[in-house]
Structures are given as structure tokens and as C-alpha cells.
Amino acid sequence: VSSLRADLEAAACIGADERGGVSRFAWTRELAQANAWLMERLSELGLTAELDPAGNVLGRWESGKGTAVLLGSHLDTVPNGGRFDGALGVLAALDVVRRLRAEGVEPRRPVWIASFNDEEGARFQTGMLGSRAFCGECDLEDWGGRGIPEAMAEAGLDFARLAGARRVDEVGAYLELHIEQGPVLERSGADLGVVTAITGMLGFRARFVGEANHAGTTPMEHRRDALAGGARTVLALRDAARERGDMTANVGVISAEPGGFNVVPGAAELTVDVRSPSPETYAALEPLVRETLSAIAAEEGLGLELAETHRKPPVALDPGLQDALEAAARDEGATTLRMPSGAGHDAMVLAHHVPAGMLFVPSRGGVSHSPAEFTSAEHCELGARVLARAVRALLG
Ligand code: HGY
Ligand code: MN
Ligand code: MN
């Protein structure tokens, strides 16, 4: 059993849930346990391990001079997530350092490992809080009002000190290995994906307000059913996305109040996640969501509150790093496919500050954000070896 395989199995046990998946959310005991486990592995490898003010785990191999080559991903998950999303990139980074150590390499510049906090944003529908803080993108006003300061305090962190997590200025290049999370790579037959660009993501929380009333006595034409607004939203956004073709739309959380089988829903809350890799379509997403939901609210006689939860524009990854990853794969005897990413990643934050590159391994059946997520050990190890080659090239 290789170290990477063993690490993947060990990490999957932390936060393993009753439904066969992994649930590790930002500022919880489960993620703290995973972070502590990671910090031990980093220390074993002789790296300086620390938890930064944003809850990122940072491992630093301070060697040589100049800016660091940073390898990273995340250990937090979606609810009932898989064992590879995020974890693979962090554990592959460990594997790369382990290889360099075994080879007796003395890097000419620092090599850092980051496990970014709250990439998924599962608790507060934020996403990439850790990498954004690392890059100095702390929109404190935006993050302050939704329970994040309280959650941080419970984990022994101080919201007011988030800005202290900024270290991107000491970084010269960022590389992230990740599972594809879609079907494209597996279907193509190529071993690895070299990511060209990452899709833009936009999120909202919507609340329709109608009138709670008796389910049996209120005539159908007199109801102001808030959940009907929610249901119409699901289908209207799905149809708009299908029609437009270069976007996706998802309502992943929905609830009705007060929640009784014989009560007309007086309020309904839902999340909206819309994405597009095309800058033009991305720019059209906000008006599309606002107009669609306003029209539904007007037609159903409902009030509407719409709050933006996250905004991450599409981004192209560094052409030089794409070439470097492709060359590393070739030298390792692996075939590659250049492809965009339909999932969001910490790399999309880093890419606005430093050259960033991403390498994908195939996801069996294209399944992710599910306990069924699977990538073979052979593919994981191949990805780590190619990542190691790319790092060696960056170290000169
Ligand atoms: O939602 C996403 O695309 C990512 O997995 N954070
Ligand atoms: Mn994910
Ligand atoms: Mn991920």
C-alpha cells in the first residue's frame, strides 16, 4: 500500500457519516480533527505546520529563496460528500513532498502545502473563504452577517483577524490536483486532464413570502403558496439553463414554513447556484435570476427577498503551467486532455493573484459530491507523480 493510498483511507475515516459518505464542514470538530491529522503528517515531513487565522492549514518547507511553489486543495466537504473531492489534492501534495524528501532534493525555493478552509461553503453558502482570505480578498461586511463570526469563535478563531491570513504575496505559483467530478475525462479515455479555465459561479438565497392558511378550506385561486414560487423557480431556471446551453442552474436546498401537511406554505426558502464558463453568459446570470424570480413572485402574488451568497467569475488558468503539466504528464507516459472545469476550486481564487494550474484525474461514472465518488488508486498515484514532476520543473 502506497502512502498516498493509506493517507486517502485514513482521511476518509475522519468525519465518516452514517450514510457512507464524508461530512466535514468548516469550523466543526470533524474538520478540526482532519486538520490536526494533517498537521501531524506535515510535521513528520519536516514542514512547519500552522493553522492560520482563516483556519487554513499551512505547511511550509522553507528552502532556498524567492517565492514559494504552493500545492493545495481542501479537506472540508459537502454534506454526505465523497472521499476524494479536495482530500486528493491535499494528500497528493504531501506525497510530492515525501518524494522530494526521499530523493534528497533541496529545493531552490520554498515549497508550501495549503489545505484551504471552507472551500465548499457548506454551512454558510460562501465557498472558498480560506483561499480568499489567503489572497487578501476579505469582504468582511459580506461575510459578517451570516453566522461565520460565531462559528469561527466556537473554533477558537477570531473573525476580526481574518485579514491576517494573507500570504499570497509570498507565493509564485499554485498547483492543485483534483478529481474531475464530471464524465468528460473518463469518456475521452485520456489519463489526465489539464485544466484550461474554471467556470464562474454565482449564488443566491431566495425567500418567497406568501400566506400560511388552511390547506382544505382556502380556495385554490385565493392561495398565496410560497412553495409554489419555489417549485416554479426550480423548473424555470432548469429550463433557462437547458435552453441557453452554456450554463448550469441548481436549487439544492429548499424548505417550506411552517411545514405542515395541511398548511399552505407561508414562506419558502431556497438556494440558487448558477454557473457558466463563458464571461458573456456569466454576466447575464444575475439579471436572469433576478428577472425570473421577480416574475414568478409577481405572478404568484408573493413577496420576494433575494440575497447574493457568492460570486466567483470564470477564470483562465496560466498557459505556462498548462504546458508544464502537459510536459510532466508526457514524461510520465500519460495521455492528457485540455479541458475546462465545471466545478469551482481554490485555484480560481489563487489564479487572480499568481499563475495557477490544475490537473484532473478521472471520476468513475462522472459522479461527485456523493459517497459514490471514486477514482482508482492508479489514477490518483499517476496524478501525484505528474504533480511531482511539474513541481521539480518549477524548482528548476
Ligand atoms: O461547488 C463546487 O463546484 C466545488 O465543489 N466547490
Ligand atoms: Mn466539491
Ligand atoms: Mn473540491
Side-chain angles (χ1 to χ4, degrees):
V1 176
S2 83
S3 303
L4 178 57
R5 279 191 214 197
D7 283 350
L8 279 165
E9 277 176 28
C13 295
I14 307 175
D17 60 35
E18 332 69 64
R19 289 178 291 164
V22 184
S23 292
R24 287 189 300 252
F25 309 140
W27 306 296
T28 63
R29 190 147 38 104
E30 289 75 23
L31 187 61
Q33 213 181 320
N35 287 343
W37 177 87
L38 175 63
M39 286 170 70
E40 271 175 44
R41 304 285 84 71
L42 290 165
S43 302
E44 276 168 11
L45 285 170
L47 274 65
T48 310
E50 68 197 283
L51 192 72
D52 80 6
N56 299 316
V57 175
L58 199 58
R60 291 178 294 123
W61 182 359
E62 297 295 6
S63 171
K65 51 180 193 280
T67 55
V69 174
L70 175 63
L71 308 176
S73 201
H74 59 98
L75 286 177
D76 70 313
T77 70
V78 296
N80 196 222
R83 20 169 87 197
F84 298 89
D85 178 0
L88 175 63
V90 174
L91 303 180
L94 278 179
D95 196 61
V96 168
V97 168
R98 200 181 288 129
R99 283 169 193 279
L100 296 178
R101 286 280 195 209
E103 290 158 13
V105 172
E106 279 194 37
R108 283 200 248 166
R109 60 197 287 199
V111 179
W112 290 7
I113 293 176
S115 176
F116 290 114
N117 192 24
D118 201 31
E119 191 273 349
E120 300 286 8
R123 287 180 72 187
F124 304 105
Q125 281 111 46
T126 40
M128 291 157 214
L129 179 141
S131 49
R132 286 167 70 193
F134 184 86
C135 290
E137 296 181 13
C138 297
D139 194 340
L140 297 179
E141 218 171 283
D142 181 36
W143 293 350
R146 20 175 141 159
I148 292 176
E150 293 76 11
M152 284 182 72
E154 273 170 38
L157 294 163
D158 183 355
F159 180 73
R161 295 174 61 175
L162 260 182
R166 178 179 182 143
R167 300 215 53 176
V168 73
D169 318 271
E170 298 163 74
V171 173
Y174 176 72
L175 288 176
E176 181 169 354
L177 176 69
H178 207 282
I179 54 169
E180 181 210 333
Q181 311 184 263
V184 176
L185 195 49
E186 185 182 65
R187 285 190 194 152
S188 79
D191 299 315
L192 300 169
V194 171
V195 181
T196 52
I198 302 177
T199 196
M201 309 163 65
L202 186 61
F204 297 90
R205 191 168 330 175
R207 182 177 171 86
F208 287 105
V209 181
E211 187 179 40
N213 210 335
H214 196 290
T217 60
T218 317
M220 291 310 289
E221 62 274 19
H222 290 140
R223 296 178 188 221
R224 289 168 53 227
D225 178 345
L227 189 56
R232 285 190 58 185
T233 297
V234 174
L235 298 180
L237 293 178
R238 181 197 67 174
D239 293 346
R242 281 182 175 168
E243 200 173 309
R244 188 134 189 163
D246 64 349
M247 63 169 283
T248 58
N250 186 58
V251 174
V253 180
I254 191 163
S255 63
E257 295 167 27
F261 80 91
N262 53 2
V263 185
V264 176
E269 276 201 9
L270 53 126
T271 59
V272 172
D273 176 283
V274 281
R275 307 185 183 200
S276 178
S278 142
E280 296 73 37
T281 302
Y282 183 77
L285 293 178
E286 181 175 357
L288 171 75
V289 170
R290 289 194 183 280
E291 284 159 25
T292 303
L293 272 67
S294 300
I296 290 170
E299 285 170 28
E300 297 289 333
L302 303 171
L304 171 66
E305 295 157 27
L306 192 58
E308 188 181 301
T309 50
H310 59 266
R311 171 183 293 271
K312 289 139 200 144
V315 63
L317 296 186
D318 185 69
L321 288 178
Q322 290 180 45
D323 291 346
L325 288 167
E326 208 170 61
R330 194 182 328 111
D331 292 345
E332 199 59 45
T335 54
T336 52
L337 176 74
R338 291 215 183 200
M339 60 183 296
S341 171
H345 301 287
D346 293 304
M348 75 196 296
V349 178
L350 273 292
H352 290 289
H353 303 266
V354 295
M358 280 196 85
L359 189 65
F360 276 171
V361 288
S363 293
R364 186 173 69 190
V367 178
S368 183
H369 282 182
S370 148
E373 191 174 87
F374 181 78
T375 298
S376 73
E378 289 71 26
H379 275 124
C380 292
E381 285 162 359
L382 177 65
R385 288 201 304 275
V386 170
L387 187 66
R389 272 188 195 270
V391 170
R392 273 187 223 107
L394 285 171
L395 297 177

